[in-house]
């Protein structure tokens, strides 16, 4: 996973707090994605971007915002965290053949 | 809307047994891509295979094989002579051309016992 990094790896938030997850890629790819993984539900798409300055909603966008100001970085923000946002968050890029995933961020909201 | 169904939640086998994971998909697109990913206990997602909608050829890679049948909208995965290292969660996923968003199945947890 050297080409896609996620910061932080772990985080515990209290309800109502805000935070930003950073996804960085060093491969100059256009398409980037944010997913969340919950037990028994696979991965679900939150938001995605098809290029610098663009963002679009996925399947479960509520409660999240994103920005892609630089091509290399895709930020996922939680403005007011809720316990329902406890999850593992994965960032991915489209390599041209498959989606390549970062190592994940485990977020707990208490 | 796209949908991927992995009906098997968990499968437990003894080492050297074969195991087949089922994947059924729904899509209205004529051009689409099917994937399998592996998630070992360490948590990372590992790409295994991609199949294009216009290519129904089955594929074998070592002990892994995949059977793609458009007539039944299925893309099944078989591990032959399973090993303990095959223990993981396996996800089937579908994307359409254009933005390549993935729709994942719920995953099948495979446990291989020595």
């Amino acid at each position: 996973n050297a080409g896609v990094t996620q910061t932080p790896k772990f985080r515990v938030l209290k309800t109502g707090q805000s935070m930003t997850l950073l996804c960085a890629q060093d491969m100059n790819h256009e398409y980037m994605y944010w997913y969340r993984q919950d037990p028994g539900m696979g991965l679900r798409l939150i938001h995605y971007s098809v290029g610098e300055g663009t963002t679009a909603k996925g399947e479960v966008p509520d409660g999240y915002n994103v920005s892609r100001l630089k091509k290399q970085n895709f930020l996922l923000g939680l403005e007011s965290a809720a316990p329902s946002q406890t999850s593992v968050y994965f960032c991915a890029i489209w390599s041209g053949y498959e989606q390549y995933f970062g190592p994940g961020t485990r977020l707990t909201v208490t | 809307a796209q949908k991927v169904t992995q009906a098997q939640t968990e499968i437990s086998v003894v080492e050297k047994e074969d195991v087949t994971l089922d994947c059924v998909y729904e899509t209205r697109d004529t051009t689409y891509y099917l994937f399998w990913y592996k998630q070992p206990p360490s948590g990372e997602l590992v790409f295994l295979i991609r199949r294009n909608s216009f290519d129904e050829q089955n594929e074998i890679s070592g002990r892994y094989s995949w059977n793609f049948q458009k007539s039944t909208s299925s893309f099944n995965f078989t591990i032959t002579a399973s090993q303990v290292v095959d223990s993981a969660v396996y996800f089937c996923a579908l994307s359409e051309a254009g933005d390549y968003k993935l729709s994942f199945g719920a995953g099948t947890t495979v446990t291989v016992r020595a």
Side-chain angles (χ1 to χ4, degrees):
Chain A
N1 292 341
V4 180
T5 58
Q6 292 185 231
T7 309
K9 289 185 170 49
F10 304 94
R11 184 74 185 267
V12 177
L13 285 179
K14 295 187 185 304
T15 298
Q17 288 185 320
S18 63
M19 77 163 295
T20 300
L21 282 68
L22 170 63
C23 176
Q25 54 134 336
D26 61 4
M27 295 175 285
N28 206 37
H29 291 293
E30 295 290 342
Y31 295 9
M32 298 184 75
Y33 311 82
W34 275 108
Y35 294 88
R36 60 177 288 173
Q37 181 179 16
D38 302 297
M41 300 185 73
L43 281 77
R44 292 179 293 168
L45 183 65
I46 305 171
H47 286 280
Y48 65 104
S49 168
V50 298
E52 183 177 310
T54 75
T55 63
K57 294 180 180 180
E59 180 186 354
V60 288
D62 294 343
Y64 305 95
N65 56 73
V66 286
S67 65
R68 183 97 181 268
L69 298 179
K70 291 183 179 180
K71 189 176 186 179
Q72 298 89 341
N73 299 336
F74 194 28
L75 281 65
L76 178 70
L78 287 73
E79 290 188 349
S80 179
S84 60
Q85 294 177 304
T86 293
S87 189
V88 179
Y89 292 85
F90 286 97
C91 174
I93 58 95
W94 175 251
S95 73
Y97 190 78
E98 88 275 16
Q99 282 197 17
Y100 181 82
F101 288 83
T105 295
R106 184 173 295 275
L107 175 67
T108 302
V109 183
T110 62
Chain B
Q2 301 178 117
K3 185 178 178 182
V4 177
T5 301
Q6 295 180 255
Q8 304 144 310
T9 304
E10 295 183 26
I11 300 175
S12 181
V13 297
V14 176
E15 213 169 15
K16 297 185 184 177
E17 287 185 353
D18 296 348
V19 57
T20 295
L21 310 181
D22 298 331
C23 174
V24 174
Y25 63 92
E26 296 175 28
T27 180
R28 295 179 184 176
D29 298 315
T30 55
T31 300
Y32 53 89
Y33 308 98
L34 294 162
F35 302 83
W36 277 95
Y37 282 86
K38 175 182 180 180
Q39 187 175 45
S42 51
E44 72 271 25
L45 286 152
V46 179
F47 165 76
L48 295 178
I49 191 173
R50 157 181 156 166
R51 257 299 167 253
N52 304 333
S53 55
F54 46 84
D55 180 6
E56 283 195 73
Q57 223 174 2
N58 292 329
E59 181 152 340
I60 298 174
S61 177
R63 296 182 296 105
Y64 293 174
S65 62
W66 291 269
N67 182 297
F68 175 29
Q69 292 195 334
K70 284 181 77 170
S71 60
T72 56
S73 297
S74 65
F75 185 42
N76 297 338
F77 172 31
T78 297
I79 304 172
T80 302
S82 59
Q83 299 176 1
V84 172
V85 292
D86 296 326
S87 296
V89 182
Y90 292 87
F91 292 100
C92 181
L94 167 71
S95 82
E96 56 189 29
D99 51 26
Y100 305 104
K101 300 178 296 184
L102 286 177
S103 297
F104 281 84
T108 298
T109 300
V110 174
T111 302
V112 182
R113 295 170 280 126

